[in-house]
Amino acid sequence: MPAFNPHASDETEGQRIISPFAQTTSTVHPARTRHSISWPLWIVSSLLVLVVLGIIGYFTFKYLEDPYRTLESFPVDKYMSDYRSLTGAKFKADLKVSADLGWKAETGRLMVFTIENDNHPVVVLIPPKLSNIFFTKGQNYQASLEVGEGGLIYADSCEKE
């Protein structure tokens, strides 16, 4: 049997092979693009994405700008049981003004606060550098506190909530 040669004439053997696709023509149509999404939908979608990104950016900025985010909460129970173990440590606290015990220009203001979720009163010395803050009974503040020698609590910074 002779080797198959696609270019050789098929009449030499007496048979003629006709391709089933010889009489067929085909056309390839380009892919159709969909124009079902209109431009108003694109505008609304873009505005929605911008609003969501703005909200995410606002809360991220607010979180990163919080000066107290890296501090632990002030442990009132631990302070009441043994303040010496906390000497020199800094904490954050949500304070509510209970009373003003007095002010001395070179020393600062001595205030009584209650800390959120605790009933124990805590005495805090507000230094003269924070004299621009006016405390009123019942107001809430967030502060950075440091336990000093003898257990006296100093406010390093304080801002109204």
Side-chain angles (χ1 to χ4, degrees), residues 56-160:
I56 290 171
Y58 170 77
F59 285 109
T60 301
F61 180 75
K62 188 175 178 181
Y63 172 76
L64 292 176
E65 288 297 311
D66 181 11
Y68 308 113
R69 76 178 188 282
T70 59
L71 298 174
E72 292 181 39
S73 293
F74 186 77
V76 178
D77 292 334
K78 191 173 182 180
Y79 174 79
M80 295 294 180
S81 65
D82 182 23
Y83 69 87
R84 286 182 213 97
S85 64
L86 301 176
T87 302
K90 289 188 179 186
F91 301 97
K92 67 178 174 183
D94 293 323
L95 307 171
K96 185 173 186 175
V97 179
S98 294
D100 184 349
L101 298 179
W103 177 79
K104 194 170 185 184
E106 60 275 355
T107 308
R109 180 173 302 280
L110 200 56
M111 301 286 300
V112 179
F113 293 101
T114 55
I115 295 181
E116 187 176 310
N117 301 326
D118 199 290
N119 293 329
H120 294 100
V122 177
V123 178
V124 178
L125 180 63
I126 309 295
K129 70 179 183 179
L130 300 176
S131 64
N132 59 342
I133 301 173
F134 298 102
F135 297 96
T136 304
K137 188 173 182 175
Q139 287 181 333
N140 293 319
Y141 292 86
Q142 191 171 34
S144 169
L145 305 177
E146 182 176 355
V147 180
E149 283 189 42
L152 184 58
I153 302 171
Y154 297 90
D156 291 331
S157 64
C158 189
E159 30 183 77
K160 190 173 180 178

